[in-house]
Amino acid sequence: MTLPLEVKKLSKRFKDGENYIDILKDISFSLNQGEFVAIVGPSGSGKSTLLSIIGALLTSDDGDVLINGHAVSKLSEKGRSDLRLSQMGFIFQSAELLPYLHAFDQLDLVAKLHQVDKTERKKRAKELLSDVGLGSRIKHYPHQLSGGEKQRVAIARAFMNDPALILADEPTASLDEERSHEIVSLIKQEVKAKNKAAIMVTHDESMLSYCDRVFRMKNHTLIEDN
Amino acid sequence: MFHLAIKDMRFSKVKYGLIAFILFLIASLVLIVSGLASGLSAQNIAMLTESEATSFFVRSDSENQLDQSGFLIEDLIEEIPTEQGWQPLVTHPVRFIHDGYVNEKLGVTMVPVNADTLLYPGTIEGEDLINSSGLNIVVDQTMKSDGVELNDTLYDEETDLTFTVIGFTENQTYRHTPVVYVTEEAFYAEEISPNRVANGLVVFEDNTTLQDDISNFLDEGEWVDKAEVIDAVPGHSSEQMSLNMMIFFLIVISAFVLAAFFYIITIQKLKQFGILKAIGAKNTFLVGTTLMQVVILAVFSLSLSVLFTYSMTFILPEGMPFDFNLITIMIYSLLMFAVSLLGALLSSRRIVKVDPQQAMGGTE
């Protein structure tokens, strides 16, 4: 069976003046379907860089990432873009919705980019929005929604193209504690319900209880909690 | 692409509305100035551009200006009769007094014609010169805005003659004055001119033998094209050049204003473009959406300004030299449309350069 995510001996260096600094060294792990994992670490430890490489936004220097069996390093820029559209759902730090689209259109747009036909788009968007508890607010614009509601729309958007992998980059950074627990448990609920693999980068230890496995960034490499 | 473009513009109505309004104003100015340019040009040279004449015989030292040129043609008419295909063209400036308004003289250009020839354009209203004798005149309809009506009389102080307006013609103006046609018989019978003279001679189709005969007979002149005579009409080139210069600068300005506005809007949206790229949107989609917005704005504003310019033809006073020429309007509109797109391409470069990775890490 193809795993939704395989990371193989991944390394990344950045040039700093005349020297190279290792950001990521020899990182390997893989995820199964329905698995929700967290990556924690102090800021600057490279967890966002790792998420960018897994998300095909940045290329690695060594090693490779396989998304649902597709080797990212072999893809062109356009190929990576297509991969992101079809196989990955992104949840950003602060929802990052387009200010001029209401909730339904936010979801509709990503499916349209993926050339999903209209009736299917409509069906999926309505289902997803009611899954995240916004069934009655589908025509609301971002400025009419609270921070937690915006993040719910973003979660629904991430699932819109039925991706293999969900990548959440500090999804609770701009929310209060109560809201944070709601959002993370909602991500977990959706990941389990739709049997997807998901990675959440966070520095909030209280969110780790929702995750199946926890990785810590230490000395540029990833160590799994037991 | 189209829907996203529209939704964005609907959401930021004020921002895009302002750009549309500025484009509308500049485009209207371009179109109105161009209307003025062709109106002024018509006032100055319409008699020549509308003329059936193809070549003009003018004095070699006249720099192709009809007013600087002149021949005594009594002998020529005897030697080479006009029936062979040429006509003398006389432009005789007259200042008329209309119905006793002594203080308001109407400057006109009197042109004596044989009404059976191509030199005479015919009438659109009233009686024709062909059937008339005596001091009857056919005048350009622009004189209506001076209050001249059919059967009015116009008095020339200099010759102490009174003319009767029997008909109107159109598009017959020369050097910003209406042209007034009178029969040759009347013109010479009343001794407005003591001799048979002509500012220039014209032919209505090129005829080398005839033209050579004439130039051999009157050796101080030369044959030139109609276009050369038009270019030499005093004021024409300088007038048109300064107005065209204004139009040119307005178009350049509109390009830069639009480019600047769109550049700023694009920079405001760079983060959005980064997010969209991270999610999987392609450059072609994002650039396409931005160009689509320019197209929508430009089509909207330019259509409005064409309508506005058209409505100007009803608002402007009748004597105003303003000419709503659909072909010129279309050319300038298309030019402004192309220039707007060009300006927006500047922003496209910024969109292509956005790195989707910036979507990650939030504010880090």
Side-chain angles (χ1 to χ4, degrees), chain B residues 27-110:
Chain B
S28 299
L29 197 53
V30 165
L31 298 184
I32 288 170
V33 171
S34 83
L36 208 61
S38 55
L40 275 173
S41 153
Q43 255 198 357
N44 209 358
I45 58 166
M47 179 185 80
L48 297 174
T49 45
E50 296 290 316
S51 166
E52 303 275 344
T54 52
S55 292
F56 290 71
F57 188 73
V58 291
R59 285 189 83 96
S60 310
D61 56 4
S62 68
E63 293 177 330
N64 302 342
Q65 292 183 20
L66 283 176
D67 306 81
Q68 301 293 323
S69 167
F71 302 99
L72 284 169
I73 54 169
E74 233 135 299
D75 298 340
L76 179 69
I77 288 175
E78 273 170 32
E79 185 70 25
I80 309 170
T82 53
E83 284 76 20
Q84 291 198 13
W86 66 275
Q87 282 292 315
L89 174 63
V90 179
T91 57
H92 179 66
V94 177
R95 285 162 65 76
F96 279 133
I97 295 170
H98 176 219
D99 287 345
Y101 290 105
V102 183
N103 294 327
E104 277 179 52
K105 290 190 175 165
L106 304 175
V108 303
T109 300
M110 184 175 277

Coordinates of all heavy atoms in Angstrom, one line a residue, chain B residues 27-110:
Chain B
A27 N -9.5 59.3 -20.5 CA -10.0 58.9 -21.8 C -10.9 59.9 -22.5 O -10.8 60.2 -23.6 CB -10.6 57.5 -21.7
S28 N -11.8 60.5 -21.6 CA -12.7 61.5 -22.1 C -11.9 62.7 -22.7 O -12.3 63.2 -23.7 CB -13.7 62.0 -21.1 OG -14.4 60.9 -20.6
L29 N -10.9 63.1 -21.9 CA -10.1 64.2 -22.4 C -9.4 63.9 -23.7 O -9.4 64.7 -24.6 CB -9.0 64.5 -21.3 CG -8.4 65.9 -21.4 CD1 -9.4 67.0 -21.5 CD2 -7.5 66.1 -20.2
V30 N -8.9 62.7 -23.8 CA -8.2 62.3 -25.1 C -9.2 62.4 -26.2 O -9.0 63.0 -27.3 CB -7.7 60.9 -25.0 CG1 -7.4 60.3 -26.3 CG2 -6.5 60.8 -24.1
L31 N -10.4 61.8 -26.0 CA -11.4 61.8 -27.1 C -11.9 63.2 -27.4 O -12.2 63.5 -28.6 CB -12.6 60.9 -26.7 CG -12.2 59.4 -26.5 CD1 -13.4 58.5 -26.2 CD2 -11.4 58.9 -27.6
I32 N -12.1 64.0 -26.4 CA -12.6 65.4 -26.6 C -11.6 66.2 -27.4 O -11.9 66.9 -28.4 CB -13.1 66.1 -25.3 CG1 -14.3 65.4 -24.8 CG2 -13.3 67.6 -25.5 CD1 -14.7 65.8 -23.4
V33 N -10.3 66.1 -26.9 CA -9.2 66.8 -27.6 C -9.1 66.3 -29.1 O -9.0 67.1 -30.0 CB -7.9 66.7 -26.9 CG1 -6.8 67.2 -27.7 CG2 -8.0 67.4 -25.6
S34 N -9.3 65.0 -29.3 CA -9.2 64.5 -30.6 C -10.4 65.0 -31.5 O -10.2 65.3 -32.6 CB -9.1 63.0 -30.6 OG -10.4 62.4 -30.5
G35 N -11.5 65.1 -30.8 CA -12.7 65.6 -31.5 C -12.5 67.1 -31.9 O -12.8 67.5 -33.0
L36 N -11.8 67.8 -31.0 CA -11.5 69.2 -31.2 C -10.5 69.3 -32.4 O -10.6 70.2 -33.3 CB -10.9 69.8 -30.0 CG -11.1 71.3 -29.7 CD1 -12.6 71.6 -29.7 CD2 -10.4 71.7 -28.5
A37 N -9.5 68.4 -32.3 CA -8.5 68.4 -33.4 C -9.1 68.2 -34.7 O -8.8 68.9 -35.7 CB -7.4 67.4 -33.1
S38 N -10.0 67.2 -34.8 CA -10.6 67.0 -36.2 C -11.6 68.0 -36.5 O -11.7 68.4 -37.7 CB -11.1 65.6 -36.3 OG -12.1 65.3 -35.3
G39 N -12.2 68.6 -35.5 CA -13.1 69.7 -35.8 C -12.4 71.0 -36.3 O -12.8 71.6 -37.3
L40 N -11.3 71.3 -35.6 CA -10.5 72.4 -36.1 C -9.9 72.2 -37.4 O -9.9 73.1 -38.3 CB -9.4 72.7 -35.1 CG -9.7 73.5 -33.8 CD1 -8.5 73.5 -32.9 CD2 -10.0 74.9 -34.3
S41 N -9.4 71.0 -37.6 CA -8.8 70.6 -38.9 C -9.9 70.8 -40.0 O -9.6 71.3 -41.1 CB -8.3 69.2 -38.8 OG -8.3 68.6 -40.1
A42 N -11.1 70.3 -39.7 CA -12.2 70.4 -40.7 C -12.5 71.9 -41.0 O -12.6 72.3 -42.2 CB -13.4 69.8 -40.2
Q43 N -12.5 72.7 -40.0 CA -12.8 74.2 -40.2 C -11.7 74.8 -41.1 O -12.0 75.7 -41.8 CB -12.7 74.9 -38.8 CG -14.0 75.2 -38.3 CD -13.9 76.3 -37.2 OE1 -12.8 76.7 -36.8 NE2 -15.0 76.7 -36.7
N44 N -10.5 74.3 -41.0 CA -9.4 74.9 -41.7 C -9.3 74.4 -43.1 O -9.0 75.1 -44.0 CB -8.1 74.6 -40.9 CG -7.1 75.7 -41.1 OD1 -7.3 76.6 -41.8 ND2 -5.9 75.5 -40.5
I45 N -9.6 73.1 -43.3 CA -9.2 72.5 -44.6 C -10.4 71.7 -45.3 O -10.2 71.2 -46.3 CB -8.0 71.6 -44.5 CG1 -8.3 70.5 -43.5 CG2 -6.8 72.3 -44.1 CD1 -7.3 69.3 -43.5
A46 N -11.6 71.7 -44.6 CA -12.6 70.9 -45.2 C -12.9 71.1 -46.7 O -13.1 70.2 -47.4 CB -13.9 71.1 -44.4
M47 N -12.8 72.4 -47.1 CA -13.1 72.6 -48.5 C -12.1 71.9 -49.4 O -12.5 71.4 -50.4 CB -13.0 74.1 -48.8 CG -13.2 74.5 -50.2 SD -12.9 76.2 -50.6 CE -11.2 76.3 -50.8
L48 N -10.9 71.8 -48.9 CA -9.9 71.1 -49.7 C -10.0 69.6 -49.6 O -9.9 68.9 -50.6 CB -8.5 71.5 -49.3 CG -8.1 73.0 -49.5 CD1 -6.8 73.4 -48.9 CD2 -8.2 73.4 -51.0
T49 N -10.2 69.1 -48.4 CA -10.3 67.6 -48.3 C -11.5 67.1 -49.0 O -11.5 66.0 -49.6 CB -10.4 67.1 -46.8 OG1 -11.3 68.0 -46.1 CG2 -9.0 67.3 -46.1
E50 N -12.6 67.8 -49.0 CA -13.8 67.4 -49.6 C -13.8 67.6 -51.2 O -14.6 67.1 -51.9 CB -15.1 68.2 -49.1 CG -15.3 67.9 -47.6 CD -15.9 66.5 -47.4 OE1 -16.7 66.1 -48.2 OE2 -15.4 65.8 -46.4
S51 N -12.8 68.4 -51.6 CA -12.8 68.8 -53.0 C -12.5 67.6 -53.9 O -11.8 66.6 -53.5 CB -11.7 69.8 -53.2 OG -11.4 70.0 -54.5
E52 N -13.0 67.6 -55.1 CA -12.8 66.6 -56.1 C -11.5 66.7 -56.8 O -11.0 65.9 -57.5 CB -13.9 66.6 -57.1 CG -15.3 66.4 -56.6 CD -15.7 65.0 -56.4 OE1 -15.0 64.1 -56.9 OE2 -16.7 64.7 -55.6
A53 N -10.8 67.9 -56.6 CA -9.6 68.2 -57.3 C -8.5 67.2 -56.8 O -8.4 66.8 -55.7 CB -9.2 69.6 -57.0
T54 N -7.7 66.8 -57.8 CA -6.6 65.9 -57.4 C -5.2 66.6 -57.4 O -4.4 66.3 -56.6 CB -6.5 64.7 -58.4 OG1 -6.4 65.3 -59.7 CG2 -7.7 63.8 -58.3
S55 N -5.0 67.6 -58.3 CA -3.8 68.3 -58.3 C -4.0 69.8 -58.5 O -5.1 70.2 -59.0 CB -2.9 67.9 -59.5 OG -2.5 66.6 -59.3
F56 N -3.1 70.6 -57.9 CA -3.3 72.0 -57.9 C -2.0 72.6 -58.5 O -0.9 72.2 -58.3 CB -3.3 72.5 -56.4 CG -4.6 72.2 -55.7 CD1 -4.9 70.9 -55.3 CD2 -5.5 73.2 -55.4 CE1 -6.1 70.6 -54.6 CE2 -6.7 72.9 -54.7 CZ -7.0 71.6 -54.4
F57 N -2.3 73.7 -59.4 CA -1.2 74.4 -60.0 C -1.0 75.7 -59.2 O -1.9 76.5 -59.1 CB -1.5 74.7 -61.4 CG -0.3 75.3 -62.2 CD1 0.7 74.5 -62.6 CD2 -0.4 76.6 -62.6 CE1 1.8 75.0 -63.3 CE2 0.7 77.2 -63.3 CZ 1.8 76.4 -63.6
V58 N 0.2 75.8 -58.5 CA 0.4 77.0 -57.7 C 1.7 77.6 -58.1 O 2.6 77.0 -58.7 CB 0.4 76.6 -56.2 CG1 -1.0 76.2 -55.7 CG2 1.4 75.6 -55.9
R59 N 1.9 78.9 -57.6 CA 3.2 79.6 -57.9 C 4.3 78.8 -57.2 O 4.2 78.4 -56.1 CB 3.1 81.0 -57.5 CG 2.3 81.9 -58.3 CD 2.5 83.3 -57.9 NE 3.7 83.9 -58.4 CZ 3.7 84.7 -59.6 NH1 2.5 84.9 -60.2 NH2 4.8 85.2 -60.0
S60 N 5.4 78.8 -57.9 CA 6.6 78.1 -57.4 C 7.1 78.7 -56.1 O 7.6 78.0 -55.2 CB 7.7 78.0 -58.4 OG 7.3 77.6 -59.6
D61 N 6.9 80.1 -56.0 CA 7.4 80.7 -54.8 C 6.3 80.9 -53.7 O 6.5 81.6 -52.7 CB 8.0 82.1 -55.1 CG 7.0 83.0 -55.8 OD1 5.8 82.5 -56.0 OD2 7.3 84.1 -56.3
S62 N 5.3 80.1 -53.8 CA 4.2 80.3 -52.8 C 4.2 79.3 -51.7 O 3.4 79.4 -50.8 CB 2.8 80.1 -53.6 OG 2.7 78.8 -53.9
E63 N 5.2 78.5 -51.7 CA 5.3 77.4 -50.7 C 4.0 76.6 -50.6 O 3.6 76.2 -49.5 CB 5.7 78.0 -49.3 CG 7.1 78.6 -49.3 CD 7.5 79.2 -48.0 OE1 6.5 79.7 -47.3 OE2 8.6 79.2 -47.6
N64 N 3.4 76.4 -51.7 CA 2.1 75.6 -51.9 C 0.9 76.3 -51.1 O -0.1 75.6 -51.0 CB 2.3 74.2 -51.4 CG 3.4 73.4 -52.1 OD1 3.8 73.9 -53.2 ND2 3.9 72.4 -51.5
Q65 N 1.1 77.5 -50.7 CA 0.0 78.2 -50.0 C -0.9 78.9 -51.1 O -0.4 79.8 -51.8 CB 0.4 79.2 -49.0 CG 1.1 78.6 -47.8 CD 1.5 79.6 -46.8 OE1 1.0 80.7 -46.8 NE2 2.5 79.3 -46.0
L66 N -2.2 78.5 -51.1 CA -3.1 79.1 -52.1 C -3.1 80.6 -52.0 O -3.1 81.3 -53.0 CB -4.5 78.5 -52.0 CG -4.7 77.1 -52.5 CD1 -6.1 76.6 -52.2 CD2 -4.5 77.1 -54.0
D67 N -3.1 81.1 -50.7 CA -3.2 82.5 -50.6 C -2.0 83.3 -51.0 O -2.1 84.5 -51.2 CB -3.5 82.8 -49.1 CG -4.7 82.0 -48.6 OD1 -4.5 80.8 -48.3 OD2 -5.8 82.5 -48.6
Q68 N -0.9 82.6 -51.1 CA 0.3 83.3 -51.5 C 0.5 83.1 -53.0 O 1.5 83.6 -53.6 CB 1.6 82.6 -50.8 CG 1.6 82.7 -49.3 CD 1.7 84.2 -48.9 OE1 2.4 85.0 -49.4 NE2 0.9 84.5 -47.8
S69 N -0.4 82.4 -53.6 CA -0.2 82.1 -55.1 C -1.3 82.9 -55.9 O -2.3 83.2 -55.3 CB -0.5 80.6 -55.2 OG -0.6 80.3 -56.6
G70 N -1.0 83.2 -57.1 CA -1.9 83.9 -57.9 C -1.5 84.0 -59.4 O -0.3 84.1 -59.6
F71 N -2.5 83.9 -60.2 CA -2.2 84.0 -61.7 C -3.2 84.9 -62.3 O -4.4 85.0 -61.9 CB -2.2 82.7 -62.3 CG -1.3 81.6 -61.7 CD1 -1.8 80.7 -60.8 CD2 0.0 81.6 -62.1 CE1 -1.0 79.8 -60.3 CE2 0.9 80.6 -61.5 CZ 0.4 79.7 -60.6
L72 N -2.8 85.6 -63.4 CA -3.7 86.3 -64.3 C -4.0 85.2 -65.4 O -3.1 84.7 -66.0 CB -3.1 87.5 -64.9 CG -3.0 88.7 -64.0 CD1 -2.2 89.8 -64.6 CD2 -4.4 89.3 -63.7
I73 N -5.3 84.9 -65.6 CA -5.5 83.8 -66.4 C -6.4 84.1 -67.7 O -6.8 83.2 -68.4 CB -6.3 82.6 -65.6 CG1 -7.5 83.2 -65.0 CG2 -5.3 82.0 -64.6 CD1 -8.4 82.1 -64.4
E74 N -6.5 85.4 -68.0 CA -7.3 85.7 -69.1 C -6.7 85.1 -70.4 O -7.5 84.5 -71.2 CB -7.3 87.3 -69.3 CG -8.7 87.8 -69.4 CD -8.9 89.0 -68.6 OE1 -8.8 88.9 -67.3 OE2 -9.2 90.1 -69.2
D75 N -5.4 85.2 -70.6 CA -4.8 84.6 -71.8 C -4.9 83.1 -71.8 O -5.1 82.5 -72.9 CB -3.3 85.0 -71.9 CG -3.2 86.5 -72.0 OD1 -4.2 87.2 -72.4 OD2 -2.1 87.1 -71.7
L76 N -4.7 82.5 -70.6 CA -4.7 81.1 -70.5 C -6.1 80.5 -70.9 O -6.2 79.5 -71.7 CB -4.4 80.6 -69.1 CG -4.4 79.1 -68.8 CD1 -3.3 78.5 -69.5 CD2 -4.4 78.8 -67.3
I77 N -7.2 81.2 -70.5 CA -8.5 80.7 -70.8 C -8.7 80.7 -72.3 O -9.3 79.8 -72.9 CB -9.6 81.6 -70.1 CG1 -9.6 81.2 -68.6 CG2 -11.0 81.3 -70.7 CD1 -10.5 82.1 -67.8
E78 N -8.1 81.7 -73.0 CA -8.3 81.7 -74.5 C -7.5 80.7 -75.1 O -7.9 80.0 -76.1 CB -7.9 83.1 -75.0 CG -9.0 84.1 -75.0 CD -8.6 85.5 -75.2 OE1 -7.7 85.7 -76.0 OE2 -9.3 86.4 -74.6
E79 N -6.3 80.4 -74.6 CA -5.4 79.4 -75.2 C -5.8 78.0 -74.9 O -5.9 77.2 -75.8 CB -3.9 79.6 -74.7 CG -2.9 78.8 -75.3 CD -2.6 79.1 -76.7 OE1 -2.8 80.3 -77.1 OE2 -2.1 78.3 -77.5
I80 N -6.1 77.7 -73.6 CA -6.5 76.4 -73.2 C -7.9 76.5 -72.5 O -7.9 76.8 -71.3 CB -5.5 75.7 -72.3 CG1 -4.1 75.8 -72.9 CG2 -5.9 74.3 -72.0 CD1 -3.0 75.4 -71.9
P81 N -9.0 76.4 -73.2 CA -10.3 76.6 -72.5 C -10.5 75.6 -71.4 O -9.9 74.5 -71.4 CB -11.3 76.3 -73.7 CG -10.5 76.2 -74.9 CD -9.1 75.9 -74.6
T82 N -11.2 76.1 -70.4 CA -11.5 75.2 -69.2 C -12.2 73.9 -69.5 O -12.2 73.0 -68.8 CB -12.3 76.0 -68.1 OG1 -13.5 76.5 -68.8 CG2 -11.5 77.2 -67.6
E83 N -12.9 73.9 -70.7 CA -13.6 72.7 -71.1 C -12.6 71.5 -71.2 O -13.0 70.3 -71.1 CB -14.3 72.9 -72.4 CG -15.6 73.7 -72.3 CD -15.3 75.2 -72.2 OE1 -14.2 75.6 -72.5 OE2 -16.2 75.9 -71.6
Q84 N -11.3 71.8 -71.3 CA -10.4 70.7 -71.5 C -10.2 70.0 -70.1 O -9.5 68.9 -70.1 CB -9.0 71.3 -71.9 CG -9.1 71.7 -73.4 CD -7.7 71.9 -74.0 OE1 -6.7 71.4 -73.4 NE2 -7.6 72.5 -75.1
G85 N -10.7 70.5 -69.0 CA -10.7 69.7 -67.8 C -10.0 70.4 -66.6 O -9.7 69.8 -65.6
W86 N -9.8 71.7 -66.7 CA -9.3 72.4 -65.5 C -10.2 73.5 -65.1 O -11.1 73.9 -65.8 CB -7.9 73.0 -65.8 CG -7.9 74.1 -66.9 CD1 -7.8 73.9 -68.2 CD2 -7.9 75.5 -66.6 NE1 -7.8 75.1 -68.8 CE2 -7.8 76.1 -67.8 CE3 -7.9 76.3 -65.4 CZ2 -7.9 77.5 -68.0 CZ3 -7.9 77.6 -65.6 CH2 -7.9 78.3 -66.8
Q87 N -10.1 74.0 -63.9 CA -10.9 75.1 -63.3 C -10.0 76.0 -62.5 O -9.0 75.6 -61.9 CB -12.0 74.5 -62.4 CG -13.2 73.9 -63.1 CD -14.0 75.0 -63.9 OE1 -14.3 76.1 -63.4 NE2 -14.3 74.7 -65.1
P88 N -10.3 77.3 -62.6 CA -9.5 78.3 -61.8 C -10.2 78.2 -60.4 O -11.4 78.1 -60.2 CB -9.8 79.6 -62.4 CG -11.0 79.5 -63.2 CD -11.2 78.0 -63.5
L89 N -9.3 78.2 -59.3 CA -9.8 78.3 -58.0 C -9.4 79.6 -57.4 O -8.3 80.0 -57.3 CB -9.2 77.1 -57.1 CG -9.5 77.2 -55.6 CD1 -11.0 77.0 -55.4 CD2 -8.8 76.1 -54.9
V90 N -10.5 80.4 -56.9 CA -10.2 81.7 -56.3 C -10.7 81.6 -54.9 O -11.8 81.1 -54.6 CB -11.0 82.8 -57.1 CG1 -10.8 84.1 -56.4 CG2 -10.6 82.8 -58.5
T91 N -9.9 82.0 -53.9 CA -10.4 82.1 -52.5 C -10.3 83.6 -52.2 O -9.2 84.1 -52.0 CB -9.5 81.2 -51.6 OG1 -8.1 81.7 -51.7 CG2 -9.6 79.8 -51.9
H92 N -11.5 84.2 -52.1 CA -11.5 85.6 -51.9 C -12.1 85.9 -50.6 O -13.3 85.7 -50.3 CB -12.4 86.2 -53.1 CG -12.6 87.7 -53.0 ND1 -11.5 88.6 -53.2 CD2 -13.7 88.4 -52.7 CE1 -12.0 89.8 -53.0 NE2 -13.3 89.7 -52.8
P93 N -11.3 86.4 -49.6 CA -11.9 86.7 -48.3 C -12.8 87.9 -48.3 O -12.5 88.9 -48.9 CB -10.6 87.0 -47.4 CG -9.5 87.1 -48.3 CD -9.9 86.8 -49.7
V94 N -13.9 87.8 -47.7 CA -14.9 88.9 -47.6 C -15.4 89.0 -46.2 O -15.5 88.0 -45.5 CB -16.1 88.6 -48.5 CG1 -17.2 89.6 -48.4 CG2 -15.7 88.4 -50.0
R95 N -15.7 90.2 -45.8 CA -16.3 90.4 -44.4 C -17.7 90.9 -44.6 O -17.9 92.1 -45.0 CB -15.4 91.3 -43.6 CG -14.2 90.6 -43.1 CD -13.1 91.5 -42.6 NE -13.5 92.3 -41.4 CZ -13.6 91.8 -40.2 NH1 -13.2 90.5 -40.0 NH2 -13.9 92.5 -39.2
F96 N -18.7 90.1 -44.3 CA -20.1 90.4 -44.6 C -20.7 91.1 -43.3 O -20.4 90.8 -42.2 CB -20.9 89.2 -44.9 CG -20.9 88.7 -46.3 CD1 -20.7 87.4 -46.6 CD2 -21.0 89.6 -47.3 CE1 -20.6 87.0 -47.9 CE2 -21.0 89.2 -48.6 CZ -20.8 87.8 -48.9
I97 N -21.6 92.0 -43.6 CA -22.5 92.5 -42.5 C -23.9 91.9 -42.7 O -24.5 91.9 -43.8 CB -22.6 94.1 -42.6 CG1 -21.2 94.7 -42.3 CG2 -23.6 94.6 -41.6 CD1 -21.2 96.2 -42.6
H98 N -24.3 91.2 -41.6 CA -25.6 90.5 -41.7 C -26.7 91.3 -41.2 O -26.7 91.7 -40.0 CB -25.4 89.2 -41.0 CG -26.6 88.4 -40.9 ND1 -27.0 87.7 -39.8 CD2 -27.6 88.1 -41.8 CE1 -28.1 87.0 -40.0 NE2 -28.5 87.3 -41.2
D99 N -27.7 91.6 -42.0 CA -28.9 92.3 -41.5 C -28.7 93.5 -40.7 O -29.3 93.7 -39.6 CB -29.8 91.3 -40.7 CG -30.5 90.3 -41.6 OD1 -30.5 90.5 -42.9 OD2 -30.9 89.2 -41.1
G100 N -27.7 94.2 -41.0 CA -27.5 95.5 -40.4 C -26.7 95.5 -39.1 O -26.5 96.5 -38.4
Y101 N -26.2 94.2 -38.7 CA -25.4 94.2 -37.5 C -24.0 94.7 -37.8 O -23.1 93.9 -38.0 CB -25.3 92.8 -36.9 CG -26.6 92.3 -36.3 CD1 -27.4 91.4 -36.9 CD2 -27.0 92.7 -35.0 CE1 -28.5 90.9 -36.4 CE2 -28.1 92.3 -34.5 CZ -28.9 91.4 -35.1 OH -30.1 90.9 -34.6
V102 N -23.8 96.0 -37.8 CA -22.6 96.6 -38.4 C -21.3 96.1 -37.6 O -20.2 96.0 -38.1 CB -22.7 98.1 -38.4 CG1 -21.4 98.8 -39.0 CG2 -23.9 98.6 -39.1
N103 N -21.5 95.9 -36.3 CA -20.4 95.6 -35.4 C -19.9 94.1 -35.5 O -18.9 93.8 -35.0 CB -20.7 96.0 -34.0 CG -20.8 97.5 -33.8 OD1 -20.2 98.2 -34.6 ND2 -21.7 97.9 -33.0
E104 N -20.8 93.3 -36.1 CA -20.5 91.9 -36.1 C -20.3 91.4 -37.5 O -21.2 91.0 -38.2 CB -21.6 91.0 -35.5 CG -21.5 90.9 -34.0 CD -22.7 90.1 -33.5 OE1 -22.9 89.0 -34.0 OE2 -23.4 90.6 -32.6
K105 N -19.0 91.6 -38.0 CA -18.8 91.2 -39.4 C -18.5 89.7 -39.5 O -17.9 89.1 -38.6 CB -17.7 92.0 -40.0 CG -18.0 93.4 -40.2 CD -17.0 94.2 -40.9 CE -17.5 95.6 -41.2 NZ -16.4 96.5 -41.6
L106 N -19.1 89.1 -40.5 CA -18.9 87.6 -40.7 C -17.8 87.4 -41.7 O -18.0 87.7 -42.9 CB -20.2 86.9 -41.1 CG -21.4 87.2 -40.2 CD1 -22.6 86.5 -40.9 CD2 -21.2 86.6 -38.9
G107 N -16.7 86.8 -41.3 CA -15.6 86.6 -42.2 C -15.9 85.3 -43.0 O -16.3 84.3 -42.4
V108 N -15.9 85.4 -44.3 CA -16.1 84.2 -45.1 C -15.1 84.1 -46.2 O -14.3 85.1 -46.4 CB -17.5 84.2 -45.8 CG1 -18.6 84.4 -44.7 CG2 -17.6 85.4 -46.8
T109 N -15.0 83.0 -46.9 CA -14.2 82.9 -48.1 C -15.1 82.7 -49.3 O -15.8 81.7 -49.4 CB -13.3 81.6 -48.0 OG1 -12.4 81.8 -46.8 CG2 -12.4 81.5 -49.2
M110 N -15.0 83.7 -50.2 CA -15.9 83.6 -51.3 C -15.2 82.9 -52.4 O -14.0 83.2 -52.7 CB -16.3 85.0 -51.8 CG -17.3 85.0 -52.9 SD -17.8 86.7 -53.3 CE -19.1 86.9 -52.2

